[in-house]
Amino acid sequence: MTLDVLIFNIIGDEIKRLINQKCGLNQSQTRLLLFFDANNNEILTMGDLANKLDISLSTLSRQINQKRTLELVNVTRSKTDSSKLLSLNSDGIKKVAELKKELDQISSDLLKTLNNEEKSVFSSQLMTIATNLSKSKI
């Protein structure tokens, strides 16, 4: 049996569309908000954040300088060196709460035809696939 792996792209594109429609966020903004939320809004330098997100500093800089992103993050100069420090501001904290609520609804809608056991198995299998992909770097 051959799996139509492009189905993952269709699902991903639909999720990104829904996040943009419901929250007004693009993929990089979504990732940034969820990262800070998962890390208790820890203040990080641009370099540290780029490393943790596994993206280049120039890519992060472009993402941070988007008008919408600047409305959600604090960007301040370090007092000890020339680095910039980042964290979510109060609007970013509110937006991440809204985003998580919408993600819960999207997840619920995507999995509504599955019972709890099927959802658990499906989630576990997706995590296994993601883990295997990240290890193999296909």
Side-chain angles (χ1 to χ4, degrees), residues 7-135:
I7 195 73
F8 291 110
N9 197 39
I10 293 167
I11 294 167
D13 286 348
E14 180 62 11
I15 291 169
K16 287 184 268 186
R17 186 190 69 74
L18 287 168
I19 291 169
N20 186 273
Q21 177 186 23
K22 294 174 182 272
C23 298
L25 299 170
N26 64 33
Q27 185 176 359
S28 65
Q29 293 159 342
T30 299
R31 185 174 184 214
L32 191 67
L33 288 175
L34 292 174
F35 176 85
F36 275 112
D37 182 66
N39 292 282
N40 299 310
N41 202 23
E42 176 185 0
I43 298 171
L44 295 171
T45 65
M46 290 271 293
D48 287 341
L49 182 57
N51 286 336
K52 290 178 187 265
L53 293 174
D54 196 25
I55 59 175
S56 71
L57 190 54
S58 62
T59 297
L60 178 62
S61 182
R62 277 192 309 276
Q63 291 174 355
I64 294 297
N65 286 314
Q66 294 173 7
K67 183 180 182 217
R68 179 69 177 126
T69 307
L70 286 171
E71 295 171 353
L72 303 172
V73 297
N74 289 320
V75 180
T76 56
R77 289 246 178 236
S78 169
K79 292 181 173 135
T80 58
D81 57 32
S82 64
S83 63
K84 291 181 181 176
L85 303 173
L86 301 171
S87 64
L88 296 181
N89 62 26
S90 59
D91 288 340
I93 292 168
K94 288 176 195 169
K95 184 55 84 171
V96 80
E98 175 190 336
L99 172 62
K100 287 168 58 176
K101 180 181 173 191
E102 290 300 336
L103 288 173
D104 285 344
Q105 185 61 52
I106 291 168
S107 177
S108 178
D109 290 346
L110 285 172
L111 304 176
K112 66 184 170 193
T113 62
L114 304 178
N115 65 38
N116 286 340
E117 183 179 337
E118 291 168 329
K119 288 177 187 177
S120 179
V121 169
F122 180 71
S123 178
S124 175
Q125 291 171 337
L126 276 180
M127 288 304 295
T128 299
I129 291 169
T131 300
N132 290 341
L133 282 173
S134 69
K135 286 180 184 175

